[in-house]
Amino acid sequence: MSPAEGPTPPQDSERARVGIIGWPVEHSRSPLIHNSWIDQLGLNAHYDKCPVSPDADFRGVLEVMMRVGFTGANVTIPHKENAFKAADRLDATAAKLGAVNTLHFKDGEIIGSNTDGAGFVAALDGAADAASWRNAPALILGAGGATRAILVALADAGVEDIRLTNRTRARAEPLLALVQDLPVRCEIIDWEARADAAQDCGLLVNTTSLGMHGAPSLDMDISGLRAGAVVNDIVYAPLTTELLRAARAADLIAVDGLGMLINQAALSFETWFGVRPPIDDLLRQRLIVDLGEK
Ligand code: ATR
């Protein structure tokens, strides 16, 4: 066999490209997560940061990405709605939420999906027995972008009683429409009544920015939660918020924000590469170091 007929090493042009589209994306941890999996699985691929300004022609950007060989991308602030509008096809969750966090470029088409909610539920399932939260009421604090995905995911997961509270009640009201066709009773609660609303809940989720580095702390009395309840803070900087500290002190199950971050990424990775990546403690430790939390 002449050298020309032998196996050729993969060329850079054959390397699958994926990345995260956002503005800013400088501080995104997604490259660390995805490139760790790419290395671990020995894939010929690379995950990049793709800064795209808010006023860019978003569909045009995606077409260029397809042309230069991208397999897909994650989408973050402020482009999740732009990605929803630009996609040729959507999965049911993205269609319902009006927001896309995962794009797959396949056979010349742009397919949009949303793995945020399923990633959130996977993080809960990785940390707690399903019975501890699925069969009890849940209380969600906040009404931002992440809240929408979490609300729908909890209803899809079978939670039948969801209480939603936000400082600005009017921002929470439109979220009810997202679950009106699902078998769930969802009620908006005044922010001041949040401690009462926590009575008998098996799950409390903080989706507000309260407790983040640089933000005021969250004032939340969790004494009404059920024994063995799950408390999830989607904040991951700091990793251990006051809320999670209080949950641990009360012998509840505390789930930090890395759970959702890693699990939504795993579902995007599977969309592009057809393989579910390993979620292990090493990756978590790398993220903790990268976040400067240790
Ligand atoms: P997102 O990116 O998820 O949309 P956001 O719009 O910044 O984030 O929303 C942050 C959440 O934290 C909101 O629910 C916000 O409440 P409002 O809708 O009333 O603004 C909540 N939040 C921020 N600061 C708060 C505070 N000091 N007290 C109570 N809630 C607060």
Side-chain angles (χ1 to χ4, degrees), residues 34 37 262-271 275-277 279:
H34 287 280
W37 286 329
I262 295 172
N263 279 282
Q264 60 80 28
L267 294 167
S268 299
F269 191 95
E270 192 176 2
T271 302
V275 43
R276 179 73 63 96
I279 295 180

Side-chain angles (χ1 to χ4, degrees), residues 77 142-146 166-168 171 191 207-210 216:
I77 290 168
N166 191 48
R167 175 182 58 177
T168 312
R171 250 192 115 192
W191 182 245
T207 74
T208 74
S209 48
L210 296 171

Side-chain angles (χ1 to χ4, degrees), residues 36-61:
S36 295
W37 286 329
I38 286 168
D39 289 348
Q40 223 172 331
L41 296 170
L43 302 182
N44 184 22
H46 191 71
Y47 189 102
D48 284 310
K49 290 174 184 167
C50 309
V52 173
S53 80
D55 51 2
D57 163 16
F58 196 76
R59 171 83 196 195
V61 169

Side-chain angles (χ1 to χ4, degrees), residues 52-185:
V52 173
S53 80
D55 51 2
D57 163 16
F58 196 76
R59 171 83 196 195
V61 169
L62 299 186
E63 283 170 4
V64 171
M65 289 175 77
M66 282 202 282
R67 226 175 298 134
V68 302
F70 272 77
T71 300
N74 281 125
V75 184
T76 188
I77 290 168
H79 289 304
K80 288 187 181 183
E81 275 182 42
N82 291 336
F84 164 79
K85 289 181 193 145
D88 296 312
R89 278 197 290 134
L90 295 164
D91 79 347
T93 310
K96 173 169 252 186
L97 295 173
V100 159
N101 83 331
T102 305
L103 291 165
H104 190 194
F105 306 136
K106 198 166 167 239
D107 304 328
E109 265 196 323
I110 300 174
I111 305 163
S113 58
N114 196 311
T115 65
D116 285 334
F120 170 79
V121 167
L124 294 188
D125 281 335
D129 202 30
S132 61
W133 61 273
R134 270 189 165 82
N135 304 324
L139 174 61
I140 305 177
L141 311 179
T147 321
R148 299 166 61 84
I150 288 170
L151 173 64
V152 172
L154 287 181
D156 278 341
V159 179
E160 290 173 357
D161 178 349
I162 303 180
R163 303 158 190 181
L164 186 59
T165 184
N166 191 48
R167 175 182 58 177
T168 312
R169 189 186 170 101
R171 250 192 115 192
E173 304 277 2
L175 272 60
L176 292 180
L178 291 170
V179 290
Q180 67 187 6
D181 58 339
L182 296 172
V184 60
R185 199 172 68 87

